[in-house]
């Protein structure tokens, strides 16, 4: 009886979460493999398994769409990450609504929408126009059927070759910026801002590090170069935190990741999704299937060592 009540609570919790998502955003559905596949962009698809990184057996699918140089002579990249349902482990659900199928966005239209020039900032310092969770949902066509990913993280990046004199802001992957390991940054942060909380989630039950500077420090930092069968890739880690406590904080997105200039992102981590949330009924979900099986020390070491999931780097 107790087990049944727990399952019912989880069911209603998920319904509430879905209703909050539906009210919060106007969802759009984006077809990843449509008739406009002939448009000039590089695309790639990889399957990442969470077992080594989080000690739970889920799969994360990532889809890269990398576009030629824009008017500023920089390349743009769109990354879709299809995250698994935390109960079923599934990433895709069949679309039954013909109205959705009839109004799918293609990749080129999406690119024009999210990379459109804009100026100014919103009313909140936490407005995030680089990463979108459950706002643009990935769709794939298989035979005559269409499937969508309920837990889609979409991120946009611009690849730039800036010298250190010029700032690379949040959303820019600067392959020329000075290398700095996350450990080095953390030590410097502690010395420079001794009264601030860490910007990294070393307590995996706390939602987002809280520090006063907010979006002004958000940035993708270049850490190191990694050799692959297809040449050099670049590993980044991300600063970003909304300090939200009532839902996923996706401001870091794929918070540690490996980027290849001709292929796209070929590995990463999703701490915001697999960390141990507290409150809002998430403890009921964890009773059925854990979001991770890491000790606190293992979680912290993943961050400090910049551990990620990757595709097979010997077969790119």
């Amino acid at each position: 009886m107790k087990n049944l009540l727990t399952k019912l609570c989880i069911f209603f919790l998920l319904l509430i979460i879905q209703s909050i998502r539906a009210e919060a955003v106007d969802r759009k559905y984006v077809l990843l493999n449509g008739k406009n596949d002939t448009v000039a962009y590089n695309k790639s698809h990889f399957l990442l398994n969470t077992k080594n990184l989080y000690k739970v057996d889920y799969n994360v699918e990532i889809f890269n769409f990398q576009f030629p140089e824009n008017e500023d002579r920089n390349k743009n990249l769109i990354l879709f990450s299809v995250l698994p349902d935390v109960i079923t482990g599934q990433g895709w659900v069949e679309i039954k609504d013909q109205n959705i199928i009839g109004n799918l966005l293609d990749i080129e239209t999406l690119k024009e929408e999210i990379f459109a020039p804009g100026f100014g900032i919103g009313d909140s310092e936490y407005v995030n126009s680089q990463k979108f969770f459950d706002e643009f949902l990935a769709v794939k066509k298989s035979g005559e059927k269409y499937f969508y990913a309920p837990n889609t993280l979409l991120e946009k990046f611009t690849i730039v070759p800036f010298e250190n004199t010029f700032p690379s802001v949040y959303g820019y992957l600067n392959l020329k910026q000075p290398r700095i390991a996350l450990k080095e940054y953390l030590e410097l942060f502690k010395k420079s801002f001794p009264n601030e909380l860490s910007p990294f989630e070393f307590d995996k039950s706390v939602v987002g590090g809280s520090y006063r500077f907010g979006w002004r420090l958000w940035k993708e930092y270049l850490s190191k170069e990694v050799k692959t069968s297809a040449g050099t890739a670049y590993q980044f880690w991300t600063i970003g935190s909304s300090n939200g406590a009532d839902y996923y904080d996706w401001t870091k997105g794929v918070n540690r990741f490996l980027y290849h200039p001709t292929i796209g992102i070929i590995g990463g981590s999703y701490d915001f999704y697999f960390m141990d949330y507290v409150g809002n009924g998430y403890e009921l979900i964890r009773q059925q299937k854990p979001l991770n099986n890491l000790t606190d020390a293992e979680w912290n070491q993943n961050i400090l060592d910049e551990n990620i999931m990757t595709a097979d780097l010997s077969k790119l």
Side-chain angles (χ1 to χ4, degrees):
M1 184 66 181
K2 182 179 179 181
N3 190 44
L4 176 61
L5 288 174
T6 299
K7 290 182 177 179
L8 285 173
C9 289
I10 293 173
F11 173 75
F12 286 114
L13 168 66
L14 294 176
L15 284 180
I16 292 170
I17 291 174
Q18 291 296 330
S19 66
I20 291 172
R21 292 178 181 174
E23 291 175 5
V25 296
D26 180 17
R27 288 179 166 187
K28 298 181 180 180
Y29 295 77
V30 185
L31 185 60
L32 304 184
N33 58 340
K35 60 184 179 181
N36 287 340
D37 274 358
T38 56
V39 174
Y41 50 72
N42 291 331
K43 61 180 180 179
S44 61
H45 167 233
F46 299 101
L47 192 67
L48 309 177
N49 188 267
T50 62
K51 191 178 296 184
N52 289 335
L53 187 62
Y54 296 116
K55 291 189 176 180
V56 288
D57 193 7
Y58 294 111
N59 286 317
V60 176
E61 286 189 73
I62 58 175
F63 299 82
N64 289 277
F65 296 89
Q66 192 160 222
F67 301 88
E69 293 182 351
N70 58 22
E71 62 276 8
D72 297 320
R73 293 181 294 175
N74 300 317
K75 290 190 294 186
N76 288 328
L77 171 68
I78 294 175
L79 176 71
F80 284 90
S81 299
V82 175
L83 298 162
D85 181 277
V86 293
I87 299 298
T88 67
Q90 299 302 309
W92 300 92
V93 176
E94 186 178 352
I95 299 175
K96 302 290 188 180
D97 189 337
Q98 291 299 314
N99 186 54
I100 292 176
I101 295 174
N103 290 280
L104 298 174
L105 291 180
D106 59 38
I107 294 298
E108 188 66 22
T109 303
L110 173 69
K111 174 200 152 189
E112 295 302 320
E113 179 173 337
I114 66 175
F115 281 105
F119 299 93
I121 60 173
D123 294 333
S124 168
E125 70 175 41
Y126 298 126
V127 168
N128 185 352
S129 59
Q130 304 296 325
K131 305 177 190 296
F132 310 86
F133 185 58
D134 286 1
E135 186 171 347
F136 295 92
L137 301 186
V139 175
K140 66 178 181 179
K141 185 179 182 182
S142 179
E144 296 303 313
K145 295 182 178 180
Y146 292 82
F147 299 84
Y148 79 100
N151 301 299
T152 298
L153 174 67
L154 182 150
E155 301 174 80
K156 65 175 186 177
F157 301 96
T158 298
I159 292 80
V160 298
F162 293 168
E163 300 295 343
N164 194 38
T165 303
F166 307 102
S168 358
V169 297
Y170 182 59
Y172 277 24
L173 305 186
N174 184 4
L175 306 186
K176 285 191 173 183
Q177 67 178 293
R179 277 66 166 158
I180 181 167
L182 188 150
K183 288 180 181 177
E184 296 176 67
Y185 180 95
L186 182 60
E187 289 304 312
L188 183 60
F189 186 93
K190 289 176 179 177
K191 292 177 182 177
S192 303
F193 312 111
N195 298 321
E196 293 296 327
L197 295 176
S198 168
F200 304 104
E201 291 87 352
F202 286 115
D203 179 349
K204 64 190 180 81
S205 64
V206 174
V207 184
S210 172
Y211 55 104
R212 217 173 23 234
F213 304 99
W215 57 268
R216 292 172 179 84
L217 288 186
W218 292 11
K219 176 180 166 62
E220 289 82 6
Y221 289 86
L222 178 60
S223 177
K224 60 187 176 182
E225 295 183 1
V226 177
K227 299 302 180 184
T228 76
S229 61
T232 301
Y234 300 84
Q235 184 150 337
F236 289 83
W237 53 269
T238 312
I239 284 290
S241 175
S242 71
N243 194 30
D246 55 354
Y247 192 45
Y248 293 123
D249 178 6
W250 59 89
T251 48
K252 288 187 180 69
V254 55
N255 52 312
R256 303 180 296 275
F257 59 93
L258 191 60
Y259 168 77
H260 189 283
T262 61
I263 301 174
I265 289 173
I266 55 178
S269 61
Y270 297 85
D271 289 358
F272 84 92
Y273 196 76
F274 292 103
M275 69 188 301
D276 289 331
Y277 285 91
V278 294
N280 296 324
Y282 282 100
E283 63 277 3
L284 294 176
I285 293 176
R286 292 199 302 274
Q287 289 174 15
Q288 300 299 307
K289 195 165 186 180
L291 299 171
N292 68 76
N293 277 315
L294 299 174
T295 65
D296 289 347
E298 290 171 330
W299 180 272
N300 294 346
Q301 205 61 48
N302 270 348
I303 296 174
L304 291 171
D305 292 344
E306 303 176 39
N307 292 333
I308 60 174
M309 306 172 280
T310 65
D312 187 341
L313 302 183
S314 67
K315 298 180 180 179
L316 292 177

